[in-house]
Each structure stands twice: as C-alpha cells, then as structure tokens.
C-alpha cells in the first residue's frame, strides 16, 4: 500500500493543481516563522534558490514530525530581482512600492518543493521562471492595486499571473506550474516512481 501524501501548505492553488492531476492527499498546514527563517538565510548570504528550498524543507520537516508514515510535501516560492527578495505585500502601499521597483525589470520566480518521509528529505526540486515586467504607468498600477488588492496580497511581489497580474508583464519563460508555485511535472514523476500514483 502506498504512503499517504500530505500537503504541508494552505495554498488553495497548490491543492487545486494536485486535485486536477488526480492525486489523493491530505492537508496539514505547517506553521513556521517564514520571515525570521528568510532573514536569517539572507544574513548568511544564501542565494534565492537556497532560500526557497530551505523554506519548503522547514515546512515539510515540521509536518513530517507529526506524520511519520506519510510523504509530506513542503512548498515555497520566492521572487528575486537584482539580488533582492520580494515577499507578499502587507499593505496596498507596500504592493505599490514593490511593483514600482520591479517595473521594467527582469525577475526570477523560484518554486521549491521538498518531500519528507520519516523525518528525512527524500526528494526536492526548485523550478525557475524568468519574467520581464512591462514599463506600465503609475495610473494603471494604482487602478490595478485598487481592483485586485484582496487577491494580490497573498502573492509574492504583489501579482498573480493567473489573474490580471499577467498584464504587468512583457514576457514569461518557464513552466506554468512553476509560476503557480508547484513544480508539478517533476513532482508527478517522483510520485509515480514511488507508486503513489499509477503510471
């Protein structure tokens, strides 16, 4: 019998992606202090890829401790531009400031996933998408934030590419699933090898 899969995330979109792919799983949200972990890693000079991977691992490990018989999937996504990491905005003003900094810039969106089993990591992957933001007007930016604040407040950088946020961009390179926050194709490959899903 295959091990149950537990998603250590409260992300609706990650859960929707797994369901749409026909994967059975449970959900147990990992409660970790992401800000302090991120700040500590950045103080040590960790690159964005390592920050995303470490945050995903913290979440998987925490939930794995309570579910020793399960495969526990931890995920995290970070946005990097010119050596700086961007987080979910805490206010419309912060979203505006972030998006003005990102305007007309090249960004890297990194989506990390780590699976723990029995308190140990057994699989990990970090997907990278490269994006070029348009030189949009401040008038459009203000209208965009006013229309979309309740949605964009839960997204790193202050945009969701699956919604109106796509209008902020001139080009996007990378997996659609990486952009949504889950390297799904790579994950499905691992789950098939482990016998969690049929191949």
């Amino acid at each position: 019998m295959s091990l149950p899969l537990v998603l250590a995330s409260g992300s609706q979109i990650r859960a929707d992606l797994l369901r749409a792919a026909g994967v059975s799983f449970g959900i147990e949200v990992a409660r970790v202090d992401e800000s302090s972990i991120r700040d500590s890693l950045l103080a040590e000079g960790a690159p964005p890829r390592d920050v995303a991977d470490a945050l995903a691992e913290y979440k998987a490990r925490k939930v794995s401790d309570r579910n020793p018989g399960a495969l526990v999937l931890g995920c995290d996504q970070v946005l990097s531009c010119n050596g700086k990491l961007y987080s979910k905005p805490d206010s419309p003003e912060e979203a505006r400031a972030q998006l003005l900094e990102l305007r007309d810039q090249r960004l890297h969106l990194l989506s990390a996933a780590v699976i723990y089993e029995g308190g140990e990591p057994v699989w990990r992957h970090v997907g990278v998408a490269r994006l070029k933001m348009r030189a949009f007007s401040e008038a459009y930016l203000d209208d965009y934030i006013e229309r979309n604040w309740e949605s964009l407040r839960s997204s790193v950088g202050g945009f969701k590419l699956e919604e109106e946020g796509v209008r902020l961009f001139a080009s996007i390179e990378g997996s659609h699933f990486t952009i949504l926050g889950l390297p799904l194709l790579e994950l499905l490959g691992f789950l098939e090898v482990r016998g969690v899903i049929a191949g």
Side-chain angles (χ1 to χ4, degrees), residues 44 65-66 109 121 194:
E44 294 170 6
D65 289 344
R66 297 190 297 269
L109 192 59
R194 287 300 306 268

Side-chain angles (χ1 to χ4, degrees), residues 48-63:
R49 182 185 187 89
D50 291 354
V51 173
D53 181 71
L55 286 166
E57 181 165 348
Y58 271 98
K59 295 170 186 177
R61 184 172 62 218
K62 185 153 191 178
V63 174

Side-chain angles (χ1 to χ4, degrees), residues 37 61 69 71 73 76 81 83 86 96 114 132 140 169 183-184:
I37 294 167
R61 184 172 62 218
L71 293 173
L73 173 61
D76 199 77
C81 179
Y86 290 81
R96 187 180 196 277
V114 175
K132 174 66 168 67
Y140 172 73
F169 290 88
L184 184 62

Side-chain angles (χ1 to χ4, degrees), residues 12 18 143 171 184:
Q12 185 64 51
L18 288 171
D143 289 345
S171 67
L184 184 62

Side-chain angles (χ1 to χ4, degrees), residues 5-50:
L5 178 69
V6 177
L7 175 62
S9 169
S11 164
Q12 185 64 51
I13 197 149
R14 289 187 183 112
D16 288 346
L17 287 171
L18 288 171
R19 283 190 199 98
V23 178
S24 297
F25 63 98
I27 295 175
E28 185 174 331
V29 179
R31 304 291 180 198
V32 298
D33 186 350
E34 292 186 44
S35 295
S36 67
I37 294 167
R38 183 184 298 110
D39 292 347
S40 175
L41 290 165
L42 291 174
E44 294 170 6
R49 182 185 187 89
D50 291 354

Side-chain angles (χ1 to χ4, degrees), residues 98-195:
Q98 281 189 5
L99 289 166
L100 283 175
E101 283 183 22
L102 296 171
R103 181 172 59 174
D104 202 28
Q105 298 295 311
R106 296 193 178 278
L107 326 176
H108 290 90
L109 192 59
L110 300 99
S111 291
V114 175
I115 291 184
Y116 259 60
E117 178 184 358
E120 296 292 333
V122 296
W123 177 84
R124 64 193 337 120
H125 182 82
V126 180
V128 183
R130 293 166 181 81
L131 307 93
K132 174 66 168 67
M133 198 168 267
R134 289 191 313 106
F136 47 78
S137 69
E138 290 193 36
Y140 172 73
L141 177 61
D142 291 339
D143 289 345
Y144 162 76
I145 293 171
E146 184 176 349
R147 280 192 301 273
N148 297 283
W149 168 244
E150 285 307 316
S151 176
L152 64 84
R153 70 189 304 173
S154 63
S155 185
V156 293
F159 58 84
K160 286 188 177 177
L161 290 167
E162 65 273 27
E163 297 177 2
E164 188 184 342
V166 71
R167 290 174 57 185
L168 300 173
F169 290 88
S171 67
I172 298 168
E173 300 172 22
S175 163
H176 173 69
F177 301 114
T178 292
I179 289 165
L180 294 179
L182 182 67
L184 184 62
L185 297 180
E186 295 81 2
L187 172 63
L188 293 174
F190 171 78
L191 295 176
E192 181 182 335
V193 168
R194 287 300 306 268

